Amino acid sequence: MAIHIHYAKNNIEANLKNSKVQSVPFRIHADCDAPIKSYFEPYVKTNDQEVLTASFRGYPLRGKNIEVPQGYVGVVLHESIKPSTDKDERKFYVVNRFKEMTYWNWDKIPSKNDPFIKAFDWIDIAEALHSPVDEE
Amino acid sequence: MEETAKNTTEISDLATLKTFLAEEDNAQNVVYMSPISEICHDYPCILGIDEAGRGPVLGPMVYGTAFIPINEQTLLETLECADSKALNEEKRDQIFEKICQNQLKIGWGVEVIAPTSICNSMLSRSKYSLNQVSMDSAVGLIRAALERQVNVKHVFVDTVGKPEKYQVYLKSLFPKLDITVAKKADSTYPVVSAASICAKVVRDHALKVWDFRENVDVKEFGSGYPGDPVTKKFLVSHCDPVFGYPQLVRFSWSTTANALENTAYQVDWEEADNTEDGMSKTPSITAFFKMTNQKQARKRHDFFTQRCLTNNVDF
């Protein structure tokens, strides 16, 4: 199986709008547009410690804004043809980009205990491991 | 005292109450109280507590309290504070106005518990039940009265669950007060009726001015009781397949959950507790003595497993 990601470099850097990306602690069995502006965003509140609160179907959510690390760019991919077998080639298109996202937990303030937030450590470690060594 | 004062608004008539209800953030709890008269500081008072809107599938639950010096309590009967269930909305509004006009003798307070707040509590990780929400609200109102130096002597509460247990619980929190917890206290004690009327009036008006932030065009949603045909129709016609309902609706009610099962997308949540899986993976002590020739597959370092990071050369 091969995966192709299609994009025009100029698009990513200039033309695409910044997308609002939310990572939510549940799975909705659907792939569709949702009225986030009217049903979700009006209820999002920020407290003193920059912790966000919101509610989804009655469940309390706690969230934090996370910036994409320097030197990286977040991209939203779209696949128009779903593969029928796992050997099919897959084609993704870059449809949007983002610099920041909101990470939500169910009734728990996002912290270093969350694998998602911890995963960002790898970026610094990879940098240290893989950057060329100067011999001086 | 400072802390409760922050989100407590003083209200002295029905018109002001309506204005505040219309402007308030309806996803958040709020406390309203009448001004407290001198005689409530000086003379021992009775204090009643009752709730409105515990059962309905939509809107806030309102806890109410009313207090009056013991030697003035006949005034309650003059104001027709009797069984509030026998009164219609108009009559309740009239009595509430009269209570406000008598603020030199009677005091009142309410807590509006937002529907968002009710279901967020019931669907929290630590499962905060509706009974606990109710009791905490009642306790909060007693404290609010005490903090404002109301000379509370005897508290009468309409029960939630078993009256005996509730009474013991309240007594443990307020050992100096006389506490009476009873079923249907609303129709037995006029001071509880007065509390009940305040709570009902506030809930009625909160629903009348409900501001739907969801941008939905709602004409009517009925009483909120699951059997009400208007409420049923509202639940059928205002379901969003992703978000479910506007936050006026209590998602933690089985009526809501059942309705969503039929009309909205399924949503899966993480398990409340997944630590048990980790326990079962601990090998038994005898496993250490078994001879095995099989080499264990190389395990990834904890650094990666804890972060759910894997190698994905092929994507």
Side-chain angles (χ1 to χ4, degrees):
Chain A
M1 175 190 64
I3 290 197
H4 302 279
I5 295 176
H6 298 265
Y7 72 100
K9 195 163 193 288
N10 294 341
N11 265 359
I12 295 190
E13 268 154 25
N15 296 335
L16 294 171
K17 284 177 295 175
N18 271 323
S19 208
K20 270 194 180 173
V21 176
Q22 326 243 6
S23 163
V24 290
F26 47 83
R27 186 167 160 234
I28 308 166
H29 290 249
D31 184 7
C32 62
D33 290 338
I36 295 168
K37 272 209 171 68
S38 46
Y39 276 80
F40 189 75
E41 285 176 355
Y43 294 96
V44 175
K45 287 183 199 123
T46 314
N47 76 8
D48 312 336
Q49 280 84 43
E50 294 192 354
V51 175
L52 305 170
T53 63
S55 182
F56 179 82
R57 292 205 188 177
Y59 284 75
L61 302 179
R62 302 277 173 274
K64 262 189 181 162
N65 287 326
I66 296 171
E67 277 182 35
V68 173
Q70 274 232 313
Y72 289 76
V73 60
V75 290
V76 181
L77 302 176
H78 179 75
E79 184 178 40
S80 26
I81 310 151
K82 292 266 177 272
S84 43
T85 70
D86 56 5
K87 283 188 181 122
D88 283 0
E89 289 203 347
R90 302 181 66 173
K91 277 186 187 170
F92 288 91
Y93 292 87
V94 173
V95 291
N96 219 328
R97 67 165 184 176
F98 59 95
K99 279 190 290 203
E100 193 188 71
M101 59 174 298
T102 312
Y103 176 79
W104 296 100
N105 266 339
W106 167 41
D107 197 20
K108 192 168 71 179
I109 295 171
S111 71
K112 276 273 182 178
N113 291 324
D114 295 304
F116 184 85
I117 291 178
K118 252 196 232 175
F120 284 93
D121 293 345
W122 174 244
I123 287 171
D124 290 335
I125 291 173
E127 171 86 32
L129 286 175
H130 298 299
S131 54
V133 181
D134 286 332
E135 283 183 44
E136 266 185 89
Chain B
M1 189 162 177
E2 286 299 300
E3 199 145 317
T4 48
K6 239 185 277 170
N7 58 357
T8 303
T9 310
E10 204 171 270
I11 301 279
S12 42
D13 57 54
L14 185 56
T16 330
L17 175 74
K18 285 185 192 170
T19 327
F20 273 95
L21 284 172
E23 285 167 8
E24 209 65 58
D25 174 354
N26 61 22
Q28 232 162 9
N29 298 356
V30 59
V31 178
Y32 297 115
M33 276 199 119
S34 67
I36 312 245
S37 73
E38 278 302 311
I39 67 160
C40 288
H41 298 309
D42 298 341
Y43 297 95
C45 294
I46 46 170
L47 180 146
I49 288 185
D50 196 12
E51 126 291 316
R54 189 179 148 83
V57 69
L58 51 83
M61 171 166 82
V62 180
Y63 254 80
T65 183
F67 40 88
I68 186 166
I70 296 170
N71 54 11
E72 298 283 353
Q73 61 178 306
T74 48
L75 174 65
L76 293 169
E77 277 140 79
T78 323
L79 298 181
E80 296 170 90
C81 292
D83 190 356
S84 70
K85 290 200 175 62
L87 305 166
N88 62 24
E89 202 178 318
E90 201 190 341
K91 190 76 194 163
R92 288 197 296 263
D93 277 3
Q94 285 170 12
I95 298 174
F96 181 73
E97 285 276 41
K98 281 195 255 168
I99 290 175
C100 290
Q101 285 154 14
N102 282 280
Q103 57 183 249
L104 288 177
K105 287 173 181 169
I106 312 176
W108 59 271
V110 290
E111 183 180 19
V112 183
I113 307 168
T116 307
S117 162
I118 297 173
C119 35
N120 281 180
S121 296
M122 292 172 75
L123 296 170
S124 66
R125 280 179 185 273
S126 47
K127 295 218 176 77
Y128 183 37
S129 75
L130 186 64
N131 276 3
Q132 199 57 47
V133 172
S134 306
M135 289 183 192
D136 287 351
S137 182
V139 169
L141 287 174
I142 299 173
R143 289 219 167 102
L146 293 172
E147 277 164 8
R148 281 165 187 73
Q149 266 89 53
V150 175
N151 188 355
V152 182
K153 181 88 185 87
H154 197 148
V155 175
F156 296 88
V157 187
D158 195 56
T159 196
V160 170
K162 286 209 168 86
E164 299 80 14
K165 239 175 119 182
Y166 194 7
Q167 183 156 331
V168 170
Y169 173 66
L170 287 178
K171 190 73 194 167
S172 72
L173 294 175
F174 304 103
K176 285 182 193 154
L177 307 180
D178 293 326
I179 311 262
T180 303
V181 178
K183 280 183 185 163
K184 294 187 180 140
D186 165 32
S187 48
T188 321
Y189 307 102
V191 74
V192 179
S193 299
S196 166
I197 289 164
C198 294
K200 277 210 168 67
V201 166
V202 171
R203 177 172 149 95
D204 287 344
H205 288 285
L207 286 175
K208 257 187 208 154
V209 297
W210 194 267
D211 171 35
F212 286 93
R213 290 182 226 176
E214 290 85 358
N215 259 332
V216 288
D217 186 23
V218 179
K219 290 198 175 58
E220 49 180 5
F221 42 76
S223 65
Y225 283 99
D228 183 336
V230 183
T231 298
K232 272 188 192 161
K233 205 177 152 224
F234 165 76
L235 291 177
V236 171
S237 54
H238 287 94
C239 179
D240 176 83
V242 174
F243 292 98
Y245 294 107
Q247 292 200 19
L248 167 77
V249 175
R250 301 181 188 170
F251 287 86
S252 43
W253 261 235
S254 60
T255 320
T256 316
N258 294 341
L260 285 180
E261 211 168 295
N262 300 326
T263 47
Y265 295 125
Q266 189 192 327
V267 170
D268 295 334
W269 290 80
E270 62 173 289
E271 293 297 316
D273 201 346
N274 46 19
T275 47
E276 276 172 38
D277 301 358
M279 291 295 286
S280 62
K281 276 180 199 147
T282 312
S284 71
I285 194 150
T286 53
F288 289 100
F289 305 106
K290 277 192 190 136
M291 297 282 285
T292 53
N293 289 326
Q294 284 172 339
K295 272 194 185 150
Q296 293 239 317
R298 191 171 139 251
K299 242 185 87 188
R300 293 188 70 81
H301 190 273
D302 282 348
F303 177 87
F304 297 102
T305 51
Q306 280 166 6
R307 287 162 179 81
C308 301
L309 289 171
T310 55
N311 256 339
N312 249 340
V313 181
D314 308 325
F315 221 108

